[in-house]
Amino acid sequence: MACKENEPAKTVEYPKGTYGYDAAFLKKHIHNPIELWNEEGARVLLAGDYQGRVMTSSTGGDTGNSAGWINYDLIASGKFKDQFNPMGGEERFWIGPEGGQYSLYFKKDDPFQFSHWQVPPVIDTLPYEVTHSDSSSVEFSQSASLTNYSGTVFNFFINRNIKLLKKKELENRMHTSIPDGVKWVAYETENILKNTGDKGWTKEGGLISIWLLGMFTPSEETVAIVPFHNRKGVKEFITDNYFGKIPEDRLIMKDSVLLLKCDGKHRSKLGLSPVIAKPIAGSYDFKNNMLTLILFDVNPNGNYVNSKWELQQDPYKGDVVNAYNDGPLEDGSQMGPFYELESSSAAKPLQPGEMQTYRQVTCHFEGDYATMQSIVRQLIGFDLDQAKM
């Protein structure tokens, strides 16, 4: 039967967990979401409302799995929380350090406790301006002024460029080819921090790092995989007590890889020093056969800010890469559940007008288990069978 003229088209409803569901939800609740796409089915959805963050992505168009974790209730409320707004999103722009005498999240003389922790609006609630947008790239920007725990004032400009990668570009980044039959999506973010003040930034007054965090949906079968260079005394360069010591059944070291259980049920975080970190980390969801990877730069001699919630003896011996598993707070409430893969730039003493740039590639692969095994073996040198927890 022919359709009647001017009959409205039916709206396709996608099931929860798909990219189509999340795209429809976000288009309903935020202003001007931006989508990057290609004809192979890669999709990346961004939000200028939420600091130019990547909200989610898909390897298979609207019907594909949605890779990012999204806080539906908080976004739908249209309201902001006082301390931190965990809107979700699989890559957001933050700045470090979080704790210590140069913290940007605690006021002078406040105790390093969750009740006093405050995420600055420029990385939490302020929208970013869209300065360029097309089907494969988008550019965001914003200006800010912040004062750290020690009283140093920072005036700076943020520029954030996100680009959907082509297959050859991703293969060049990974130094290997993508096997036939694998569905994938990959994007690179270029993040620029410029000193717009009239004073230089110094180690004595505190420095700022570019910090990129990705929120993903946890499951009983998801494990973070963080490789490192093994060496004598390697445990000195691994932090596993951010929120108390991680239980042995949740953090396992195998050869040159750390495995963290990411089920969203126990708040825990690990970090690796640039002395041992490799320029790659990831996670594997055994239920959906989805591999997530982040690719980033590591400077073994760089000044990496220390974000531990304490006054520090070594404020520039922090982490370059982190994995976080969300869980209940002391009062029983919970931000997620989600889990995170994070990377940070070294902090530089920028003079007025100077800038630093930090790039990260995030990619997802879906396919049969044997093929995923081969990718992990090539890129990380590890057998996925050993990652099951």
Side-chain angles (χ1 to χ4, degrees):
M1 181 182 292
C3 293
K4 295 179 181 178
E5 191 174 351
N6 299 325
E7 183 176 332
K10 290 185 178 179
T11 301
V12 178
E13 293 188 5
Y14 298 96
K16 198 168 186 178
T18 63
Y19 175 85
Y21 178 96
D22 286 346
F25 172 84
L26 291 168
K27 289 172 184 177
K28 179 180 178 181
H29 291 286
I30 65 176
H31 299 104
N32 192 30
I34 297 171
E35 184 177 70
L36 310 182
W37 61 275
N38 65 26
E39 294 181 353
E40 286 73 48
R43 299 288 187 272
V44 179
L45 196 67
L46 304 109
D49 279 11
Y50 303 148
Q51 304 79 51
R53 76 181 67 192
V54 178
M55 295 303 296
T56 191
S57 64
S58 169
T59 69
D62 287 334
T63 59
N65 290 318
S66 185
W69 177 78
I70 292 175
N71 193 334
Y72 302 106
D73 291 342
L74 182 56
I75 292 173
S77 75
K79 299 176 181 178
F80 288 131
K81 292 178 176 289
D82 292 334
Q83 286 181 274
F84 168 48
N85 289 273
M87 299 297 189
E90 61 171 89
E91 196 209 81
R92 71 182 187 274
F93 177 94
W94 264 21
I95 49 179
E98 185 176 8
Q101 53 266 51
Y102 303 131
S103 170
L104 296 161
Y105 300 73
F106 290 91
K107 293 180 181 178
K108 177 67 173 174
D109 296 328
D110 276 355
F112 294 110
Q113 298 172 357
F114 188 82
S115 59
H116 292 269
W117 178 66
Q118 180 65 58
V119 180
V122 71
I123 54 172
D124 188 44
T125 56
L126 288 183
Y128 285 16
E129 180 184 358
V130 180
T131 51
H132 166 81
S133 177
D134 59 38
S135 64
S136 62
S137 65
V138 60
E139 179 181 25
F140 301 97
S141 63
Q142 182 57 275
S143 297
S145 178
L146 293 178
T147 302
N148 72 9
Y149 186 92
S150 294
T152 302
V153 177
F154 297 91
N155 295 295
F156 54 91
F157 175 77
I158 299 163
N159 189 256
R160 181 163 157 80
N161 302 280
I162 297 93
K163 176 184 178 183
L164 182 65
L165 295 183
K166 298 177 181 178
K167 184 175 183 180
K168 195 64 180 176
E169 291 175 315
L170 178 57
E171 289 178 333
N172 288 339
R173 300 289 199 285
M174 299 191 305
H175 306 292
T176 189
S177 59
I178 300 171
D180 293 338
V182 172
K183 296 189 297 181
W184 62 274
V185 60
Y187 55 88
E188 180 179 55
T189 67
E190 177 190 69
N191 304 274
I192 300 170
L193 195 63
K194 181 180 180 179
N195 180 354
T196 56
D198 56 7
K199 295 181 180 179
W201 300 349
T202 66
K203 290 180 68 174
E204 293 74 23
L207 298 177
I208 295 179
S209 69
I210 296 170
W211 185 9
L212 304 177
L213 306 92
M215 286 178 163
F216 305 98
T217 303
S219 79
E220 291 287 351
E221 300 178 64
T222 300
V223 179
I225 304 170
V226 186
F228 59 90
H229 296 287
N230 213 334
R231 53 169 287 175
K232 185 178 180 181
V234 70
K235 290 186 177 180
E236 298 175 15
F237 303 101
I238 298 170
T239 302
D240 61 0
N241 60 348
Y242 276 93
F243 308 112
K245 184 78 171 176
I246 304 174
E248 291 183 1
D249 62 337
R250 289 186 162 272
L251 178 62
I252 298 173
M253 181 186 294
K254 291 192 176 181
D255 298 323
S256 299
V257 169
L258 287 168
L259 304 171
L260 178 69
K261 187 173 182 64
C262 292
D263 58 359
K265 295 181 178 180
H266 184 91
R267 192 168 185 239
S268 49
K269 182 175 180 176
L270 68 88
L272 268 64
S273 159
V275 174
I276 63 167
K278 292 186 176 181
I280 186 172
S283 64
Y284 195 76
D285 179 348
F286 285 92
K287 180 179 179 180
N288 294 305
N289 281 336
M290 177 184 281
L291 171 66
T292 296
L293 295 173
I294 58 172
L295 313 174
F296 47 91
D297 292 330
V298 178
N299 179 356
N301 301 312
N303 293 309
Y304 285 85
V305 297
N306 188 339
S307 280
K308 290 192 70 174
W309 289 18
E310 62 187 23
L311 294 177
Q312 303 152 0
Q313 291 186 335
D314 297 308
Y316 296 106
K317 289 187 177 180
D319 304 325
V320 63
V321 60
N322 300 92
Y324 171 82
N325 182 52
D326 191 41
L329 298 167
E330 291 179 1
D331 63 2
S333 65
Q334 189 164 352
M335 292 186 289
F338 53 81
Y339 75 95
E340 291 182 320
L341 299 175
E342 314 169 6
S343 79
S344 296
S345 73
K348 296 184 178 181
L350 301 180
Q351 293 301 308
E354 287 188 336
M355 63 183 71
Q356 73 174 100
T357 302
Y358 184 64
R359 296 178 177 87
Q360 178 178 277
V361 172
T362 300
C363 40
H364 306 284
F365 302 91
E366 291 184 82
D368 64 81
Y369 182 69
T371 306
M372 296 296 100
Q373 266 191 316
S374 70
I375 295 175
V376 173
R377 195 175 293 115
Q378 276 190 299
L379 296 178
I380 299 181
F382 186 70
D383 187 341
L384 267 182
D385 285 343
Q386 298 186 52
K388 296 178 180 178
M389 297 178 70

